[in-house]
Amino acid sequence: MINALARGLRQLADPAIQRLLVRCVLLALATLIALIGGVAALLFGLDLTGLTWLDPILATAGSALVLVLAWLLFPVTVGLTLGLFAEDVVEVVERRHYPDLPQAPGMSLVRQTYAGARFAVVALLLNLLALPFYFVPGANVPVYLALNGYLLGREYFELVAGQRLPLRELGRLRRRQRGRLWLAGVAIAAMLMIPVFNLVAPVVAIAFMVHLVAPLQRPGSGGVAERVSSVGRPGGNSTGGRRNRLTSPRLIANPSSGESLGFC
């Protein structure tokens, strides 16, 4: 897993990824600004005490709270924009590191939008329920990472693996790898908490997840590769999106290269 994360970080030096970073940063900034504005409007719109002289003071003092809440909720709200560049990042990473991998059919825009919105709503609700724990010293960081590790691990996995796998196969693979995906999600949540770096962290997280998912689709990895090869054939399941080339006998990596892409 450390190797996959390091390779994801090194993707930032890839000129093709750098061209995508501009889009990612702009979308992340727009998300952060909208989040700050939304939290501020909610906080300043509350009639906290009913005392006209005290409420403005409390609202002003809450400005710091606005920034803290926006920072805490940013990792899950940025999921709304991932579908706008995730497929491009996956394609760049696969072309660079897995040239023998058949081109993925991709995910339809409707499916990506629905998945992103569903994730954001569920994640926001769960984080708001856990919000009191975030202000308890000693419990805040473990609770935050444990909860968002699960949420982000699942979201980024589905975003990447969903480019190739039908929904049923996606669920099976996710259940088999739930522990590793949770650890990967914890790493992603930690990256998204780092100020400034969190603007490019979504791209790193997607690249990181590609390096985790790719080995699972190699021959002998539990049958996933063989079942994926049936996607797009007559009678098979197809997710739609990019041109389907999964009927090719080639799989992810050249097995003669001897390169190890294991999780740990």
Side-chain angles (χ1 to χ4, degrees):
M1 183 176 292
I2 295 176
N3 179 49
L5 179 58
R7 298 181 76 182
L9 288 167
R10 287 198 294 268
Q11 292 287 159
L12 292 175
D14 189 329
I17 289 291
Q18 290 173 357
R19 288 191 290 270
L20 293 173
L21 282 177
V22 176
R23 191 193 317 172
C24 171
V25 170
L26 291 177
L27 288 170
L29 277 173
T31 301
L32 186 59
I33 291 171
L35 187 59
I36 291 174
V39 174
L42 178 63
L43 183 63
F44 283 89
L46 292 176
D47 188 15
L48 298 175
T49 66
L51 300 176
T52 55
W53 62 272
L54 182 58
D55 282 343
I57 297 176
L58 293 177
T60 302
S63 298
L65 181 61
V66 169
L67 296 177
V68 171
L69 289 176
W71 174 61
L72 289 173
L73 297 177
F74 174 76
V76 295
T77 52
V78 78
L80 287 169
T81 66
L82 291 178
L84 299 177
F85 58 85
E87 187 171 319
D88 294 329
V89 175
V90 172
E91 190 172 11
V92 168
V93 176
E94 289 182 344
R95 187 170 62 244
R96 170 71 175 82
H97 293 277
Y98 312 104
D100 292 331
L101 178 65
Q103 188 173 356
M107 297 171 65
S108 68
L109 181 60
V110 173
R111 181 180 166 189
Q112 290 187 70
T113 303
Y114 171 74
R118 181 190 62 183
F119 166 76
V121 170
V122 173
L124 281 172
L125 288 175
L126 291 177
N127 274 275
L128 289 175
L129 289 174
L131 190 61
F133 295 99
Y134 295 165
F135 296 97
V136 178
N140 45 15
V141 174
V143 171
Y144 182 84
L145 291 179
L147 173 60
N148 289 285
Y150 168 77
L151 294 170
L152 293 172
R154 176 169 179 158
E155 170 67 6
Y156 280 82
F157 167 77
E158 292 184 351
L159 194 66
V160 171
Q163 303 293 330
R164 296 184 176 279
L165 297 177
L167 290 175
R168 182 177 299 178
E169 210 48 70
L170 191 68
R172 289 175 182 171
L173 182 58
R174 186 186 67 242
R175 287 189 291 272
R176 285 200 298 269
Q177 302 295 329
R178 61 170 65 93
R180 287 167 173 162
L181 293 178
W182 177 75
L183 289 175
V186 169
I188 293 172
M191 288 192 294
L192 288 167
M193 291 178 67
I194 302 174
V196 182
F197 181 75
N198 59 1
L199 298 179
V200 300
V203 169
V204 176
I206 293 171
F208 169 39
M209 192 59 70
V210 172
H211 291 302
L212 290 182
V213 170
L216 301 179
Q217 295 176 330
R218 303 175 76 182
S221 61
V224 174
E226 288 77 6
R227 287 191 291 270
V228 172
S229 65
S230 66
V231 179
R233 292 177 181 169
N237 294 316
S238 177
T239 54
R242 287 181 285 179
R243 185 166 58 91
N244 189 353
R245 292 173 53 195
L246 288 176
T247 53
S248 168
R250 294 176 301 172
L251 293 168
I252 280 189
N254 185 351
S256 65
S257 64
E259 185 179 13
S260 174
L261 298 176
F263 274 109
C264 299

